[in-house]
């Protein structure tokens, strides 16, 4: 939380863009050290990890505290992640969805849903199992009484890792964890979720070997990718300035409408949900009051509708490439939120989170092996739970831009079941903590 060297977002954004430029430049090398390096470490991981190093060494920071002249502590934060997630992410989803082939998406079959629900079950059972295991070696780590009980705090992690921010807030409301200690749970959420995302990104570089080990049938995925590639070649053109301006108009016009509509929809549903008599049902449907949920949903729906018009031909002018640029900027701002040094500040809770995530991952691997699901379904099914709509498209588009929509659809579904799944998980965690 100490003040970094650079606090001006304009400067920080320049640093992030330079780091992305460095990653892409070195990844383009066909010989030498960097060529060998990127055979092991994917470029997308480096785009995420490099800003994390800048944050760790105090060059930049997502948030910090300073003391003013009156001796008061003032909290500050960078707005780059907010801008990236609220403007660039939905714009990227529009541009990468323009050429979507819905029939091919549906042809991916049931394995995507199976892996998604496997990830959800992994989170639901992972929490109580982690409490049981850690209690053997360090009972005080999973202890606490009344509203300081650790299981209450972990309920917010369950909400976040199955659904998203709205579900996390709902769980805080339901189980009334001590607000003074809530920051520690948010910290665990950020650290563990980001470490897991980094592992998934590294795995993408080894996806062929992983698929071979899983004996996976990825023919449907390859068919979808080939269809998009064939369509791109068919409509390929040398883009003009007019093409670029129209593509940006489509993307950010949709984002603008998404913000406009989400404001009213989130307000309407917030009031509607607030009128429900049952506290349980109010919390279950609390995600409907999330503006971000509606922004992503509206942007995706409009993009799918545009895919049935001539707008899809802009894929030939590089629509998905522009979308990928926006995604990489989002990746850099997410990496910026990760301070590696803080991992050692609260090791007990971090260990609980790591054990919890390991159970989630282990179950995914077992089921993927049994049903011979490709690594794509494992990675995206996991991120649709743990990362939500902000990071599931990142992992999906790393396989191919045409697959980003799969990540979005699963993540949106995660919002819908997030609170219910988290409540089940919390009931089991409370039982585990009292054994």
């Amino acid at each position: 939380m100490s003040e970094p060297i650079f606090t001006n977002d304009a400067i920080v954004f320049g640093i992030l863009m330079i780091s992305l430029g460095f990653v892409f430049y070195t990844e383009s090398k066909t010989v030498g050290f960097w060529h060998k390096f990127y055979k092991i470490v994917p470029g997308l991981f480096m785009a995420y990890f490099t800003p994390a190093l800048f944050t760790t060494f105090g060059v930049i920071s997502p948030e910090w505290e300073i003391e003013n002249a009156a001796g008061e502590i003032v909290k500050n934060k960078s707005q780059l992640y907010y801008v990236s997630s609220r403007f660039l992410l939905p714009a990227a989803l529009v541009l990468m969805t323009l050429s979507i082939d819905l029939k091919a998406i549906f042809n991916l079959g049931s394995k995507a849903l199976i892996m998604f629900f496997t990830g959800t079950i992994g989170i639901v059972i992972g929490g109580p199992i982690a409490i049981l295991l850690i209690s053997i070696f360090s009972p005080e780590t999973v202890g606490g009484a009344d509203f300081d009980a650790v299981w209450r705090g972990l309920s917010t992690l369950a909400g976040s890792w199955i659904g998203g921010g709205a579900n996390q807030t709902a769980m805080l409301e339901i189980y009334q964890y001590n607000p003074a200690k809530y920051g520690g749970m948010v910290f665990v959420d950020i650290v563990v979720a980001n470490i897991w995302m980094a592992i998934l990104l590294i795995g993408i570089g080894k996806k062929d070997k992983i698929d071979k080990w899983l004996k996976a049938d990825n023919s449907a995925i390859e068919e979808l990718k080939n269809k998009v590639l064939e369509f791109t070649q068919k409509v390929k053109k040398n883009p003009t300035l007019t093409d670029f301006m129209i593509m940006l108009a489509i993307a950010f016009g949709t984002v603008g409408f998404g913000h406009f509509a989400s404001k009213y929809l989130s307000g309407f549903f917030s009031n509607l949900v607030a009128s429900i008599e049952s506290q349980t049902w109010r919390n279950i449907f609390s995600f409907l009051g999330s503006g971000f949920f509606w922004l992503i949903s509206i942007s995706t729906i409009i993009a799918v509708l545009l895919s049935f018009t001539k707008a899809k031909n802009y894929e030939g002018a590089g629509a998905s490439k522009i979308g990928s640029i926006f995604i990489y900027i989002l990746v850099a701002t997410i990496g910026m939120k990760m301070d590696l040094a803080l991992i050692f500040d609260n090791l007990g809770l971090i260990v609980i989170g790591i054990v919890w995530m390991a159970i989630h991952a282990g179950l995914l691997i077992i089921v993927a092996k049994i049903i011979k699901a490709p690594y794509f379904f494992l990675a995206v099914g996991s991120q649709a739970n743990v990362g939500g709509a902000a990071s599931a498209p990142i992992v999906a588009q790393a396989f191919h831009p045409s697959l980003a929509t799969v990540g979005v659809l699963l993540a949106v579904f995660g919002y819908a079941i997030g609170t219910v799944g988290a409540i089940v998980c919390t009931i089991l965690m409370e039982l585990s903590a009292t054994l």
Side-chain angles (χ1 to χ4, degrees):
M1 294 292 287
S2 59
E3 186 176 4
I5 297 174
F6 300 107
T7 58
N8 186 314
D9 271 346
I11 298 172
V12 176
F13 183 68
I15 292 172
L16 296 182
M17 291 306 298
I18 290 171
S19 70
L20 288 175
F22 172 78
V23 170
F24 273 80
Y25 174 75
T26 51
E27 192 179 18
S28 68
K29 296 294 182 182
T30 56
V31 293
F33 168 77
W34 290 114
H35 178 65
K36 295 177 181 177
F37 178 81
Y38 285 107
K39 280 189 173 181
I40 301 172
V41 181
L44 185 61
F45 171 77
M46 288 303 296
Y48 166 85
F49 187 69
T50 306
L53 291 178
F54 286 131
T55 296
T56 301
F57 291 106
V59 179
I60 59 179
S61 179
E63 54 185 39
W64 62 94
E65 294 178 348
I66 59 172
E67 185 176 334
N68 63 17
E72 300 170 328
I73 300 298
V74 180
K75 293 184 178 181
N76 296 275
K77 66 185 299 184
S78 168
Q79 296 299 315
L80 291 179
Y81 172 73
Y82 178 85
V83 171
S84 298
S85 61
R86 267 60 177 181
F87 298 100
L88 298 186
L89 172 60
L93 295 177
V94 171
L95 292 170
M96 291 191 291
T97 305
L98 284 179
S99 60
I100 189 176
D101 187 328
L102 275 183
K103 184 179 178 181
I105 290 286
F106 293 137
N107 285 342
L108 291 177
S110 60
K111 290 183 180 179
L113 282 175
I114 292 173
M115 294 309 296
F116 169 78
F117 281 116
T118 298
T120 301
I121 293 170
I123 296 298
V124 170
I125 68 172
I129 293 175
I131 288 177
L132 288 173
L133 291 175
I134 300 302
S135 65
I136 296 173
F137 306 99
S138 180
E140 67 278 3
T141 302
V142 295
D146 297 326
F147 296 110
D148 288 334
V150 171
W151 64 264
R152 291 183 187 272
L154 295 177
S155 72
T156 65
L157 288 187
S160 177
W161 288 352
I162 298 174
N167 308 92
Q168 184 176 29
T169 304
M171 297 306 292
L172 181 63
E173 178 69 24
I174 293 170
Y175 290 101
Q176 298 291 306
Y177 183 58
N178 186 347
K181 295 185 176 183
Y182 177 54
M185 293 299 170
V186 174
F187 165 73
V188 175
D189 180 11
I190 293 171
V191 170
V192 177
N194 279 276
I195 289 175
W196 176 236
M197 182 177 172
I199 292 171
L200 289 175
L201 293 178
I202 292 174
I204 292 172
K206 306 288 185 183
K207 64 180 183 295
D208 292 336
K209 291 183 178 178
I210 296 174
D211 283 345
K212 185 177 180 180
W213 179 77
L214 292 171
K215 297 180 180 178
D217 176 16
N218 58 2
S219 56
I221 297 173
E222 291 303 316
E223 182 182 349
L224 174 58
K225 289 163 60 175
N226 291 333
K227 276 190 174 183
V228 173
L229 288 172
E230 289 173 8
F231 175 75
T232 303
Q233 289 299 318
K234 182 180 177 182
V235 297
K236 190 173 183 179
K237 60 180 290 191
N238 185 23
T240 63
L241 178 60
T242 300
D243 290 326
F244 284 121
M245 292 305 292
I246 292 176
M247 285 187 285
L248 292 176
I250 291 172
F252 288 105
T254 300
V255 173
F257 177 76
H259 277 275
F260 172 78
S262 65
K263 176 183 177 181
Y264 291 99
L265 285 171
S266 60
F268 170 77
F269 280 101
S270 289
N271 293 331
L272 185 64
V273 171
S275 67
I276 299 175
E277 291 185 8
S278 170
Q279 177 70 37
T280 301
W281 285 106
R282 282 204 302 272
N283 285 295
I284 287 173
F285 290 108
S286 62
F287 73 94
L288 293 174
S290 167
F292 184 63
F293 166 79
W294 287 112
L295 171 63
I296 297 301
S297 300
I298 291 167
S299 299
T300 305
I301 290 169
I302 293 175
V304 170
L305 293 176
L306 287 172
S307 72
F308 292 99
T309 71
K310 290 184 178 180
K312 71 183 301 180
N313 292 337
Y314 280 106
E315 175 61 25
S320 63
K321 288 184 174 65
I322 298 175
S324 294
I325 292 173
F326 295 161
I327 287 291
Y328 270 93
I329 294 173
L330 173 63
V331 169
T333 61
I334 292 175
M336 174 184 164
K337 295 169 67 178
M338 181 64 176
D339 186 343
L340 301 172
L342 294 179
I343 293 174
F344 304 101
D345 279 8
N346 199 337
L347 279 177
L349 288 177
I350 293 293
V351 170
I352 293 175
I354 290 175
V355 172
W356 191 345
M357 198 60 68
I359 294 167
H360 164 78
L363 187 62
L364 281 167
I365 293 169
I366 291 170
V367 173
K369 183 73 173 176
I370 292 172
I371 68 173
K372 300 180 180 179
Y375 180 65
F376 168 76
F377 291 139
L378 186 156
V380 176
S382 173
Q383 274 303 291
N385 280 283
V386 178
S391 58
I394 292 173
V395 173
Q397 73 85 38
F399 291 86
H400 193 272
S402 64
L403 298 169
T405 310
V406 179
V408 178
L409 295 175
L410 290 177
V412 167
F413 193 53
Y415 281 120
I417 67 169
T419 304
V420 175
I423 289 173
V424 174
C425 177
T426 306
I427 291 171
L428 295 175
M429 287 193 292
E430 182 181 7
L431 291 172
S432 299
T434 54
L435 287 178

